[in-house]
Amino acid sequence: AQKITQTQPGMFVQEKEAVTLDCTYDTSDQSYGLFWYKQPSSGEMIFLIYQGSYDEQNATEGRYSLNFQKARKSANLVISASQLGDSAMYFCAMRVGLNFGNEKLTFGTGTRLTIIP
Amino acid sequence: ETGVTQTPRHLVMGMTNKKSLKCEQHLGHNAMYWYKQSAKKPLELMFVYNFKEQTENNSVPSRFSPECPNSSHLFLHLHTLQPEDSALYLCASSMTWREGRGTDTQYFGPGTRLTVL
């Protein structure tokens, strides 16, 4: 069975500071993908960043980077220079397998990030 | 319209009503998903459709009935729901390759906030 653990239910961060959101995962599969999504109060899940299990480099997308430590099974999201608009719920998710029919995403319980002006 | 759209955005219904949720994707994807998001619980996958064929039914009660007439549209028909079915229902879509390369990132709609009285 696959499992995603996000141990920080809530975080408060000063504007313009960097923030790290923790995510650990558990799977016995060798091929998997890790995702981060942002969910503002409006409800939409917004895709932020993806890391494949065979990717050697950490993924980066603008102010977002994924600190992938495979041996520790962690995939932390780092947001540099936080902005007020970053206040939202953040979900870590994992897709196991790379074969047709194994598209299931397993989500963590999320972290509510609040940016303080 | 762009991305993934969902209607209605909000729905209040009695336990004896019949209603339908609609999802439409404008991304050229061929896989569509229904998720349920309840308060303080991880996102739960309900149904998966690949190329209009249902490939996943995650032990969902029969009072939820999905329909996928084509790769761009997905419906969730609701009847005789219970108050515990109140939740945010999210639709997502992704690209799937028939040759077994797995799916691409899932993109979500804004969700339908359902309240069952």
Side-chain angles (χ1 to χ4, degrees):
Chain A
Q2 292 77 43
K3 187 177 180 182
I4 293 282
T5 302
Q6 294 181 255
T7 57
Q8 307 152 310
M11 287 187 70
F12 290 84
V13 174
Q14 204 73 39
E15 189 180 8
K16 298 182 184 177
E17 289 185 353
V19 57
T20 297
L21 304 180
D22 295 340
C23 172
T24 57
Y25 60 91
D26 187 23
T27 180
S28 56
D29 280 66
Q30 297 302 308
S31 298
Y32 51 88
L34 296 156
F35 302 79
W36 277 93
Y37 286 87
K38 171 185 178 181
Q39 187 177 40
S41 56
S42 58
E44 182 176 0
M45 295 283 272
I46 302 168
F47 166 69
L48 296 178
I49 197 166
Y50 166 80
Q51 178 87 39
S53 59
Y54 293 117
D55 295 340
E56 295 183 354
Q57 303 272 3
N58 285 344
T60 59
E61 290 285 350
R63 293 186 301 113
Y64 304 108
S65 61
L66 199 151
N67 185 0
F68 181 46
Q69 298 191 33
K70 196 170 182 177
R72 301 171 75 174
K73 293 192 173 180
S74 74
N76 298 339
L77 177 71
V78 179
I79 307 174
S80 63
S82 57
Q83 302 171 356
L84 295 178
D86 293 334
S87 294
M89 282 289 288
Y90 287 80
F91 291 93
C92 180
M94 176 170 60
R95 180 190 70 219
V96 173
L98 293 175
N99 298 315
F100 180 71
N102 289 326
E103 309 85 358
K104 187 180 298 186
L105 272 183
T106 300
F107 284 82
T109 52
T111 296
R112 181 169 298 282
L113 176 64
T114 303
I115 306 300
I116 305 167
Chain B
E1 293 279 16
T2 58
V4 181
T5 58
Q6 289 187 243
T7 55
R9 294 293 310 275
H10 300 272
L11 178 62
V12 179
M13 58 187 289
M15 288 191 285
T16 58
N17 292 157
K18 289 185 179 181
K19 296 286 184 184
S20 295
L21 309 185
K22 179 183 176 182
C23 175
E24 184 173 1
Q25 59 95 2
H26 310 268
L27 299 169
H29 291 163
N30 46 39
M32 296 188 78
Y33 312 76
W34 278 117
Y35 287 88
K36 176 183 178 182
Q37 187 177 29
S38 305
K40 299 182 180 179
K41 290 177 69 176
L43 235 68
E44 302 171 65
L45 178 68
M46 299 176 73
F47 301 103
V48 180
Y49 279 82
N50 277 295
F51 298 97
K52 303 187 296 178
E53 300 296 322
Q54 188 180 123
T55 57
E56 182 91 24
N57 178 337
N58 202 21
S59 302
V60 180
S62 59
R63 57 186 183 270
F64 295 91
S65 175
E67 178 191 1
C68 188
N70 54 61
S71 294
S72 298
H73 294 85
L74 184 65
F75 295 89
L76 188 62
H77 303 299
L78 316 171
H79 63 98
T80 59
L81 294 192
Q82 304 298 312
E84 60 264 29
D85 296 323
S86 298
L88 180 68
Y89 289 84
L90 289 161
C91 173
S93 71
S94 69
M95 183 64 75
T96 301
W97 288 274
R98 290 186 185 273
E99 295 78 18
R101 287 173 53 199
T103 56
D104 206 335
T105 301
Q106 292 181 25
Y107 292 89
F108 287 79
T112 295
R113 175 78 57 190
L114 173 67
T115 303
V116 181
L117 301 176

mmCIF file of all heavy atoms in Angstrom, chain B residues 14-31:
data_model
loop_
_atom_site.group_PDB
_atom_site.id
_atom_site.type_symbol
_atom_site.label_atom_id
_atom_site.label_comp_id
_atom_site.label_asym_id
_atom_site.label_seq_id
_atom_site.Cartn_x
_atom_site.Cartn_y
_atom_site.Cartn_z
ATOM 1 N N GLY B 14 -31.721 17.654 -0.934
ATOM 2 C CA GLY B 14 -32.285 16.799 0.090
ATOM 3 C C GLY B 14 -31.928 15.350 -0.187
ATOM 4 O O GLY B 14 -31.451 15.001 -1.279
ATOM 5 N N MET B 15 -32.159 14.505 0.781
ATOM 6 C CA MET B 15 -31.751 13.111 0.660
ATOM 7 C C MET B 15 -32.559 12.359 -0.395
ATOM 8 O O MET B 15 -32.113 11.328 -0.891
ATOM 9 C CB MET B 15 -31.858 12.424 2.021
ATOM 10 C CG MET B 15 -30.787 12.869 3.007
ATOM 11 S SD MET B 15 -30.708 11.851 4.485
ATOM 12 C CE MET B 15 -32.162 12.432 5.348
ATOM 13 N N THR B 16 -33.708 12.879 -0.768
ATOM 14 C CA THR B 16 -34.524 12.167 -1.760
ATOM 15 C C THR B 16 -34.356 12.721 -3.169
ATOM 16 O O THR B 16 -34.945 12.219 -4.119
ATOM 17 C CB THR B 16 -36.004 12.225 -1.370
ATOM 18 O OG1 THR B 16 -36.408 13.600 -1.270
ATOM 19 C CG2 THR B 16 -36.241 11.524 -0.035
ATOM 20 N N ASN B 17 -33.571 13.789 -3.302
ATOM 21 C CA ASN B 17 -33.395 14.405 -4.619
ATOM 22 C C ASN B 17 -32.497 13.579 -5.536
ATOM 23 O O ASN B 17 -31.733 12.725 -5.079
ATOM 24 C CB ASN B 17 -32.768 15.797 -4.470
ATOM 25 C CG ASN B 17 -33.704 16.799 -3.815
ATOM 26 O OD1 ASN B 17 -33.257 17.786 -3.261
ATOM 27 N ND2 ASN B 17 -34.998 16.561 -3.905
ATOM 28 N N LYS B 18 -32.598 13.876 -6.828
ATOM 29 C CA LYS B 18 -31.653 13.368 -7.819
ATOM 30 C C LYS B 18 -31.030 14.572 -8.505
ATOM 31 O O LYS B 18 -31.754 15.440 -9.004
ATOM 32 C CB LYS B 18 -32.357 12.513 -8.867
ATOM 33 C CG LYS B 18 -32.848 11.171 -8.383
ATOM 34 C CD LYS B 18 -33.422 10.373 -9.541
ATOM 35 C CE LYS B 18 -33.907 9.009 -9.074
ATOM 36 N NZ LYS B 18 -34.453 8.211 -10.218
ATOM 37 N N LYS B 19 -29.720 14.589 -8.528
ATOM 38 C CA LYS B 19 -28.998 15.678 -9.182
ATOM 39 C C LYS B 19 -27.786 15.110 -9.901
ATOM 40 O O LYS B 19 -27.394 13.960 -9.680
ATOM 41 C CB LYS B 19 -28.519 16.718 -8.156
ATOM 42 C CG LYS B 19 -29.627 17.449 -7.407
ATOM 43 C CD LYS B 19 -30.313 18.461 -8.295
ATOM 44 C CE LYS B 19 -31.359 19.238 -7.488
ATOM 45 N NZ LYS B 19 -32.112 20.179 -8.361
ATOM 46 N N SER B 20 -27.182 15.947 -10.756
ATOM 47 C CA SER B 20 -25.974 15.532 -11.471
ATOM 48 C C SER B 20 -24.917 16.614 -11.412
ATOM 49 O O SER B 20 -25.225 17.803 -11.515
ATOM 50 C CB SER B 20 -26.307 15.224 -12.934
ATOM 51 O OG SER B 20 -27.168 14.117 -13.036
ATOM 52 N N LEU B 21 -23.670 16.189 -11.264
ATOM 53 C CA LEU B 21 -22.524 17.082 -11.363
ATOM 54 C C LEU B 21 -21.913 16.896 -12.750
ATOM 55 O O LEU B 21 -21.837 15.777 -13.254
ATOM 56 C CB LEU B 21 -21.481 16.756 -10.298
ATOM 57 C CG LEU B 21 -21.969 16.652 -8.854
ATOM 58 C CD1 LEU B 21 -20.769 16.435 -7.922
ATOM 59 C CD2 LEU B 21 -22.772 17.856 -8.444
ATOM 60 N N LYS B 22 -21.450 18.007 -13.316
ATOM 61 C CA LYS B 22 -20.875 17.952 -14.659
ATOM 62 C C LYS B 22 -19.440 18.429 -14.630
ATOM 63 O O LYS B 22 -19.088 19.383 -13.928
ATOM 64 C CB LYS B 22 -21.680 18.828 -15.617
ATOM 65 C CG LYS B 22 -21.136 18.862 -17.044
ATOM 66 C CD LYS B 22 -21.934 19.810 -17.918
ATOM 67 C CE LYS B 22 -21.339 19.915 -19.315
ATOM 68 N NZ LYS B 22 -22.075 20.877 -20.165
ATOM 69 N N CYS B 23 -18.599 17.767 -15.408
ATOM 70 C CA CYS B 23 -17.206 18.157 -15.557
ATOM 71 C C CYS B 23 -16.869 18.154 -17.044
ATOM 72 O O CYS B 23 -17.271 17.242 -17.775
ATOM 73 C CB CYS B 23 -16.303 17.176 -14.816
ATOM 74 S SG CYS B 23 -14.538 17.469 -15.046
ATOM 75 N N GLU B 24 -16.138 19.154 -17.470
ATOM 76 C CA GLU B 24 -15.707 19.231 -18.864
ATOM 77 C C GLU B 24 -14.251 19.663 -18.916
ATOM 78 O O GLU B 24 -13.856 20.602 -18.221
ATOM 79 C CB GLU B 24 -16.573 20.221 -19.644
ATOM 80 C CG GLU B 24 -16.251 20.294 -21.124
ATOM 81 C CD GLU B 24 -17.232 21.157 -21.904
ATOM 82 O OE1 GLU B 24 -18.164 21.720 -21.288
ATOM 83 O OE2 GLU B 24 -17.055 21.281 -23.131
ATOM 84 N N GLN B 25 -13.460 18.942 -19.702
ATOM 85 C CA GLN B 25 -12.055 19.330 -19.831
ATOM 86 C C GLN B 25 -11.772 19.787 -21.255
ATOM 87 O O GLN B 25 -12.251 19.191 -22.218
ATOM 88 C CB GLN B 25 -11.123 18.195 -19.388
ATOM 89 C CG GLN B 25 -11.250 16.882 -20.142
ATOM 90 C CD GLN B 25 -10.277 16.731 -21.282
ATOM 91 O OE1 GLN B 25 -9.431 17.618 -21.517
ATOM 92 N NE2 GLN B 25 -10.377 15.644 -22.012
ATOM 93 N N HIS B 26 -10.978 20.859 -21.350
ATOM 94 C CA HIS B 26 -10.665 21.488 -22.637
ATOM 95 C C HIS B 26 -9.166 21.345 -22.936
ATOM 96 O O HIS B 26 -8.559 22.218 -23.567
ATOM 97 C CB HIS B 26 -11.049 22.969 -22.587
ATOM 98 C CG HIS B 26 -12.438 23.212 -22.086
ATOM 99 N ND1 HIS B 26 -13.526 23.312 -22.916
ATOM 100 C CD2 HIS B 26 -12.919 23.358 -20.820
ATOM 101 C CE1 HIS B 26 -14.614 23.526 -22.192
ATOM 102 N NE2 HIS B 26 -14.283 23.561 -20.924
ATOM 103 N N LEU B 27 -8.568 20.260 -22.437
ATOM 104 C CA LEU B 27 -7.116 20.078 -22.526
ATOM 105 C C LEU B 27 -6.711 18.982 -23.495
ATOM 106 O O LEU B 27 -5.527 18.687 -23.621
ATOM 107 C CB LEU B 27 -6.561 19.758 -21.119
ATOM 108 C CG LEU B 27 -6.801 20.850 -20.069
ATOM 109 C CD1 LEU B 27 -6.476 20.335 -18.667
ATOM 110 C CD2 LEU B 27 -5.973 22.086 -20.394
ATOM 111 N N GLY B 28 -7.696 18.339 -24.129
ATOM 112 C CA GLY B 28 -7.374 17.255 -25.051
ATOM 113 C C GLY B 28 -6.930 15.979 -24.355
ATOM 114 O O GLY B 28 -6.315 15.112 -24.972
ATOM 115 N N HIS B 29 -7.258 15.848 -23.073
ATOM 116 C CA HIS B 29 -6.880 14.659 -22.318
ATOM 117 C C HIS B 29 -7.822 13.502 -22.611
ATOM 118 O O HIS B 29 -8.904 13.675 -23.163
ATOM 119 C CB HIS B 29 -6.899 14.964 -20.816
ATOM 120 C CG HIS B 29 -5.816 15.906 -20.393
ATOM 121 N ND1 HIS B 29 -5.847 16.575 -19.184
ATOM 122 C CD2 HIS B 29 -4.661 16.268 -20.996
ATOM 123 C CE1 HIS B 29 -4.764 17.317 -19.075
ATOM 124 N NE2 HIS B 29 -4.031 17.162 -20.163
ATOM 125 N N ASN B 30 -7.411 12.302 -22.209
ATOM 126 C CA ASN B 30 -8.274 11.139 -22.434
ATOM 127 C C ASN B 30 -8.564 10.351 -21.160
ATOM 128 O O ASN B 30 -9.182 9.299 -21.217
ATOM 129 C CB ASN B 30 -7.654 10.222 -23.489
ATOM 130 C CG ASN B 30 -6.180 9.994 -23.235
ATOM 131 O OD1 ASN B 30 -5.769 9.845 -22.100
ATOM 132 N ND2 ASN B 30 -5.385 9.981 -24.288
ATOM 133 N N ALA B 31 -8.124 10.829 -20.020
ATOM 134 C CA ALA B 31 -8.459 10.200 -18.746
ATOM 135 C C ALA B 31 -9.132 11.232 -17.858
ATOM 136 O O ALA B 31 -8.711 12.391 -17.818
ATOM 137 C CB ALA B 31 -7.216 9.657 -18.055
#
